[in-house]
Amino acid sequence: MNSLASIIILNLNGEKFLKDCLECLRKQTYQNLEIILVDNGSTDNSINFVKRNFPQVRIIANERNLGFAQANNQGFKIAKGKYIVTLNNDTRVDKKWLEKLVLIAEKDEQIGMCASKILSFKNPSLIDSVGVNICLDGMSRGRGRLEMDKGQYDKVEEVLLSSACAALYRRKMLQEIGFFDDSFFAYCEDTDLGLRGRLAGWKAFLVPQSVVYHYYSGTTNEYSPLKAFLVERNHFWVVVKNFPLKLILLFPIFTFWRYLLQFYGLLTRQGSSSKFAKNFSFWYLPYSVFKAYFSGLKGLIRVLKQRRRIKKQQKISNKEFYLLLKKFRLSFKELALKN
């Protein structure tokens, strides 16, 4: 339990969150850590605040917003730890958060990812995520999201993958498969990374004693045309890069079914599409979808090249991958109709 852990925190105008976030890290029971703050062109006083109050934090200051994926990759390039830990700036962590993550990771060299138990900052009795589940069309969602925390996820157990809001990754795995895909900019990059890790034979576990309180979408807008565009495009890339050919061929059918359910959700005021329509014109949705697939198809040659590399590294069979999707399957109904 003396392995160095490198914590990468991405920041964009998050000064209001940084005091809580960094104070919690200062009080960790596991102190063999380094903290790297990657600032994506903040116009508030974030950098000066950190320099003045947390001089031990290493800072990368970007002139503009490079997105979640590329900025975390910058942090990875200078990180020295055996473990790379991603942490959102809009979080507060329990004092044993890091200790519990490292403890589980140290037990098995094949554990490539550990997921924290992430609870709502505003209402700690609500679960934000305990790992990530995935739909047959590649869309993902926090496992247990918005369930009341009644101890139903209080044992260390296998999950499909970790949410990068608060996740531990083994450096050895990242050196083998790569870190986040820069081209994603933001959203779904942790799903892509997690699937690449699982395909390469690495394990993922939930560590429920590693508790995080998350102010959901504190830095970004929970429902916006940009998010709708990025999620729609990036999940398409996730499928093409990682899924077996049979599921890729079925992708249009699965996607059409999801759109039908989301339209029903819009009519009945359920799910994210309904929330989106409250804040923006309905017509932003089809426009964002069209724009997303246009951009997705433009990047298809690059994505297919990545797929070939991933398939060369694949150590589990397609049958084992199907079993993982079945075990951690996210239903279309939950995806489309739950908030």
Side-chain angles (χ1 to χ4, degrees):
M1 285 288 291
N2 63 351
S3 300
L4 178 65
S6 300
I7 302 173
I8 303 173
I9 300 172
L10 177 60
N11 182 69
L12 175 60
N13 295 325
E15 181 186 1
K16 61 183 178 181
F17 299 116
L18 289 173
K19 184 176 185 298
D20 267 355
C21 181
L22 295 174
E23 280 289 355
C24 288
L25 296 181
R26 182 180 275 171
K27 296 173 183 176
Q28 288 296 294
T29 55
Y30 191 90
Q31 279 294 308
N32 193 13
L33 58 88
E34 63 173 353
I35 304 170
I36 301 167
L37 181 87
V38 185
D39 188 86
N40 259 347
S42 291
T43 54
D44 64 5
N45 196 43
S46 291
I47 293 178
N48 289 333
F49 172 81
V50 174
K51 285 181 177 178
R52 185 172 64 251
N53 295 285
F54 301 93
Q56 75 277 17
V57 175
R58 301 170 70 187
I59 298 174
I60 298 174
N62 294 318
E63 294 183 359
R64 59 186 177 86
N65 183 4
L66 299 181
F68 185 90
Q70 187 174 348
N72 271 288
N73 288 343
Q74 287 181 307
F76 178 50
K77 287 177 182 177
I78 68 168
K80 300 175 182 177
K82 176 181 178 180
Y83 298 111
I84 307 300
V85 184
T86 56
L87 182 67
N88 278 20
N89 63 348
D90 52 356
T91 56
R92 186 177 71 239
V93 299
D94 181 81
K95 65 180 181 179
K96 292 189 176 183
W97 165 71
L98 186 58
E99 176 188 336
K100 297 300 183 181
L101 286 175
V102 175
L103 177 65
I104 296 302
E106 292 279 270
K107 288 184 176 181
D108 185 347
E109 287 292 320
Q110 282 305 115
I111 295 177
M113 298 163 273
C114 288
S116 298
K117 182 179 186 178
I118 307 174
L119 303 173
S120 168
F121 194 101
K122 294 180 179 178
N123 183 357
S125 63
L126 282 181
I127 294 171
D128 185 307
S129 75
V130 281
V132 174
N133 287 348
I134 195 165
C135 204
L136 288 175
D137 73 340
M139 283 285 194
S140 56
R141 176 185 170 95
R143 176 171 174 254
R145 176 155 172 74
L146 298 184
E147 292 181 21
M148 295 295 294
D149 182 19
K150 299 178 180 178
Q152 67 271 43
Y153 301 109
D154 277 358
K155 67 177 181 178
V156 175
E157 60 186 348
E158 183 188 21
V159 290
L160 179 62
L161 52 97
S162 307
S163 165
C165 169
L168 176 145
Y169 300 101
R170 188 180 297 272
R171 175 184 286 275
K172 186 177 179 182
M173 180 188 79
L174 299 179
Q175 288 173 331
E176 178 185 335
I177 68 169
F179 204 25
F180 296 127
D181 186 336
D182 283 354
S183 61
F184 278 51
F185 188 79
Y187 303 112
C188 307
E189 66 286 300
D190 51 358
T191 302
D192 172 58
L193 171 60
L195 290 180
R196 284 188 277 122
R198 297 311 301 262
L199 285 167
W202 293 92
K203 300 175 184 176
F205 275 84
L206 168 68
V207 185
Q209 296 77 25
S210 173
V211 180
V212 178
Y213 302 93
H214 180 216
Y215 195 103
Y216 189 76
S217 292
T219 302
T220 60
N221 193 334
E222 185 174 358
Y223 303 104
S224 71
L226 176 60
K227 181 175 180 178
F229 160 74
L230 289 171
V231 169
E232 199 68 39
R233 183 195 67 181
N234 293 351
H235 97 278
F236 169 64
W237 283 345
V238 166
V239 170
V240 175
K241 287 175 68 174
N242 300 286
F243 275 32
L245 182 58
K246 284 183 180 179
L247 289 182
I248 295 176
L249 294 175
L250 290 170
F251 175 79
I253 298 172
F254 291 144
T255 301
F256 180 69
W257 176 239
R258 172 170 59 86
Y259 288 157
L260 286 179
L261 286 174
Q262 287 178 322
F263 184 68
Y264 173 76
L266 188 67
L267 296 177
T268 57
R269 299 182 181 179
Q270 300 179 73
S272 58
S273 57
S274 173
K275 294 289 180 67
F276 182 95
K278 283 184 179 179
N279 299 315
F280 302 94
S281 166
F282 165 78
W283 296 108
Y284 271 115
L285 281 172
Y287 171 73
S288 296
V289 168
F290 174 80
K291 184 180 175 184
Y293 284 103
F294 181 76
S295 176
L297 290 170
K298 280 178 64 178
L300 197 56
I301 293 176
R302 173 188 54 78
V303 172
L304 288 172
K305 289 179 180 178
Q306 292 174 318
R307 177 182 174 83
R308 283 197 290 271
R309 290 197 295 270
I310 292 166
K311 288 302 174 183
K312 287 180 181 179
Q313 295 176 325
Q314 185 170 336
K315 293 177 182 175
I316 66 171
S317 66
N318 281 343
K319 182 179 179 181
E320 290 172 307
F321 186 78
Y322 282 123
L323 290 174
L324 280 175
L325 292 185
K326 182 179 179 181
K327 184 175 181 179
F328 301 106
R329 183 175 172 179
L330 171 65
S331 73
F332 286 100
K333 184 178 179 181
E334 180 181 355
L335 177 67
L337 301 181
K338 276 195 173 183
N339 291 330

